[in-house]
Amino acid sequence: MLENPRFRLGFSMLVLFTLLAGDAWRLALGWWFFGALTIALTLVAAWLLWLQRARWGVGGMPLPLLTFLALAMASIFWSHYPGATALGLFTTWIIVINAVALAVTFTWAELLRGLGLVLRFVLGVSLLFELFVSGVLRDRLLPFFGQPGVDYESYDRIPGMLMWSRNELFDVFGDGRIQGIVGNANSLGFLALLAVIVFSIQLASSRRQPGAVSRRWGTVWLVLAAATILMTKSATVTLAVVGVAAVLVIALMVRRARTARGRLVVYGASVVAVAASVTAFIVFRAELLELLGKSADLTGRLGIWAKVIDLAQQRPAFGWGWVSYWVPWADPFDDLVFRSGVRQLQAHNTWLDVAFQLGLVGLIVFAALVGAALVKAWQHAVDRPQKAPDAPQRYSAITLLPLLLLVALVVQSLAESRLITEYGLAFLVIVAVKTKRRELL
């Protein structure tokens, strides 16, 4: 079955869709269905890892990843909420097992193809969904299965944040934002950014390479992904676009440099450009925030961060205990942060969340994991291909995939906590494992 192309494509697409658009499953079919599906996929993933046990092992896994997982598991002994920590560890291991199975079982080309198909489906169905809501229903749409613990009885009083769709497709040239099947504009916008990365790499790949697409349809989907980013109006995604574009330009310049001295010049100029950009952001932050449509408190994030920092300082070394996404029924999450009448289940900053849950020790370990993955992804993208001395050096576009995915996630981590759950953690694990194994294609 491992060699069956239909099984390989079907399994990879189902896992990738569940990681990327898990909200769609939960909003449409409920948490019980979502839980059963993820457990079933995890059993299959574990079986695939068992079949390939000779190809991987503890020694083949990145040390920072193993250290981080060990620290998270150990935190149950000092956790303020041991039951929530046990649940958080369960969901974390589900993500890690599926991610490692994807990393070990599939090549980068296969993952590129699977991502391309899944993201086309998510974007296409999301646009049709919003068109149906605005063109046929002409009213806000509640999820079929809502968020646990939320009272959905009074329709008029339900915050827009809890709506599956806010019926704003025809108002996108005003203040409207579309949310798609994932029910969240920021999430849909980030998936559209991932789609831009994937579709661009597919277009840049040779037609003979797996995962490549026809130029006509590839261009159509690339335009739709870019349009979706514009219609979600996410400031976080806008910054991620800038970050990804900057890293891509630097990587391409390094690739074109023929000598070590040339590469040093590119690196030096890049450091100066980054320093100038950071300085400009600090000096003109008020104007830039206004341009991005953000308030001075970053849409309430500063207040959330202040509360999380206060909690982190109470347990600075090892934190309050691992939980990943906050559990709404456990203290202190039950009444920690509310925004627009909605209980918040994350710190809206991955690094503060890790510091709060696992303390300074956990933050250092997690930073080592992300940093090592970034360094290896960079080497993966810019190292010269191993060719015969007299052969032309031709880089493959697909070697940029892990770097650009990780850069997008790191930028997102400054305003969201996705890097420690669902697709964020999964892609971090995939990149860390595959670059550790030195798999280039």
Side-chain angles (χ1 to χ4, degrees), residues 233-236 238-239 281 287-295:
K233 300 178 183 177
S234 170
T236 301
T238 300
L239 293 177
F281 180 81
E287 292 82 359
L288 290 172
L289 288 174
E290 183 179 355
L291 182 64
L292 292 171
K294 286 293 182 182
S295 58

Side-chain angles (χ1 to χ4, degrees), residues 69 71-95 320-327 329-330 333 357-358:
L69 293 173
L71 181 62
M73 288 190 296
S75 72
I76 198 170
F77 294 108
W78 64 79
S79 174
H80 179 73
Y81 32 73
T85 294
L87 179 61
L89 288 170
F90 178 70
T91 58
T92 296
W93 274 106
I94 283 179
I95 296 168
W320 288 63
W322 179 251
V323 71
S324 185
Y325 265 154
W326 299 351
V327 177
W329 59 81
F333 309 121
Q357 296 180 37
L358 295 178

Side-chain angles (χ1 to χ4, degrees), residues 225-242:
T228 302
I229 291 177
L230 295 176
M231 289 188 286
T232 55
K233 300 178 183 177
S234 170
T236 301
V237 173
T238 300
L239 293 177
V241 169
V242 174

Side-chain angles (χ1 to χ4, degrees), residues 11 44-46 48-49 52 95-106:
F11 175 75
V44 177
L48 291 177
L49 290 174
Q52 303 172 95
I95 296 168
V96 170
I97 290 171
N98 280 280
V100 174
L102 289 176
V104 172
T105 307
F106 302 94

Side-chain angles (χ1 to χ4, degrees), residues 30 39 77 104 107 109 119-120 133 254 277 301 326 337 346 350 356 399 413 425 439:
I39 290 173
F77 294 108
V104 172
T107 64
L119 289 169
R120 283 173 175 79
V133 171
V254 170
S277 299
R301 281 178 170 81
W326 299 351
V337 179
Q346 57 160 317
T350 297
F356 159 62
T399 56
S413 73
L425 179 59
E439 296 183 15

Side-chain angles (χ1 to χ4, degrees), residues 255-277:
R255 282 184 171 195
R256 290 179 64 86
R258 297 180 178 274
T259 63
R261 183 178 180 180
R263 288 193 168 199
L264 285 175
V265 171
V266 173
Y267 286 133
S270 300
V271 170
V272 172
V274 170
S277 299

Side-chain angles (χ1 to χ4, degrees), residues 134-432:
S134 296
V136 179
L137 297 182
R138 300 182 182 181
D139 199 358
R140 303 192 304 173
L141 179 65
L142 282 170
F144 296 157
F145 294 85
Q147 181 176 311
V150 175
D151 181 11
Y152 287 88
E153 293 299 323
S154 180
Y155 178 81
D156 293 334
R157 297 180 182 177
I158 297 173
M161 196 180 298
L162 295 178
M163 287 290 173
W164 196 353
S165 172
R166 290 183 286 192
N167 181 29
E168 295 182 350
L169 176 63
F170 297 153
D171 190 34
V172 292
F173 292 106
D175 296 328
R177 307 171 68 194
I178 64 172
Q179 301 183 171
I181 59 174
V182 294
N184 184 283
N186 291 331
S187 296
L188 181 62
F190 191 78
L191 295 183
L193 171 57
L194 297 185
V196 168
I197 294 171
V198 169
F199 300 163
S200 299
I201 291 175
Q202 287 183 316
L203 281 170
S205 299
S206 168
R207 290 293 302 275
R208 291 176 292 181
Q209 289 183 340
V213 295
S214 69
R215 187 159 299 278
R216 180 180 63 182
W217 282 110
T219 302
V220 168
W221 280 107
L222 183 58
V223 171
L224 285 176
T228 302
I229 291 177
L230 295 176
M231 289 188 286
T232 55
K233 300 178 183 177
S234 170
T236 301
V237 173
T238 300
L239 293 177
V241 169
V242 174
V244 168
V247 170
L248 175 61
V249 169
I250 296 171
L252 293 178
M253 291 175 64
V254 170
R255 282 184 171 195
R256 290 179 64 86
R258 297 180 178 274
T259 63
R261 183 178 180 180
R263 288 193 168 199
L264 285 175
V265 171
V266 173
Y267 286 133
S270 300
V271 170
V272 172
V274 170
S277 299
V278 171
T279 302
F281 180 81
I282 294 173
V283 174
F284 301 105
R285 61 185 180 279
E287 292 82 359
L288 290 172
L289 288 174
E290 183 179 355
L291 182 64
L292 292 171
K294 286 293 182 182
S295 58
D297 69 342
L298 302 178
T299 320
R301 281 178 170 81
L302 292 184
I304 298 174
W305 295 347
K307 291 186 177 181
V308 173
I309 290 172
D310 179 64
L311 288 173
Q313 290 174 338
Q314 295 177 30
R315 294 188 172 195
F318 292 96
W320 288 63
W322 179 251
V323 71
S324 185
Y325 265 154
W326 299 351
V327 177
W329 59 81
D331 177 67
F333 309 121
D334 51 354
D335 64 350
L336 182 59
V337 179
F338 285 83
R339 185 162 64 88
S340 301
V342 179
R343 181 187 286 109
Q344 300 299 295
L345 302 180
Q346 57 160 317
H348 287 281
N349 181 292
T350 297
W351 308 93
L352 289 180
D353 236 335
V354 172
F356 159 62
Q357 296 180 37
L358 295 178
L360 180 61
V361 174
L363 184 61
I364 292 172
V365 172
F366 186 75
L369 169 59
V370 175
L374 271 173
V375 169
K376 289 184 179 298
W378 177 263
Q379 295 171 340
H380 185 91
V382 303
D383 280 356
R384 292 182 174 86
Q386 298 297 317
K387 300 286 186 180
D390 57 344
Q393 292 182 347
R394 295 178 179 175
Y395 292 93
S396 172
I398 198 173
T399 56
L400 291 166
L401 179 62
L403 175 64
L404 299 184
L405 288 179
L406 202 51
V407 168
L409 288 167
V410 169
V411 176
Q412 185 197 40
S413 73
L414 301 177
E416 303 287 343
S417 297
R418 286 278 185 176
L419 195 54
I420 55 175
T421 187
E422 295 190 296
Y423 65 77
L425 179 59
F427 285 139
L428 175 59
V429 171
I430 290 171
V431 171

Side-chain angles (χ1 to χ4, degrees), residues 47-64:
W47 173 67
L48 291 177
L49 290 174
W50 172 256
L51 292 179
Q52 303 172 95
R53 56 191 180 278
R55 295 187 56 208
W56 69 279
V58 174
M61 295 294 102
L63 181 58

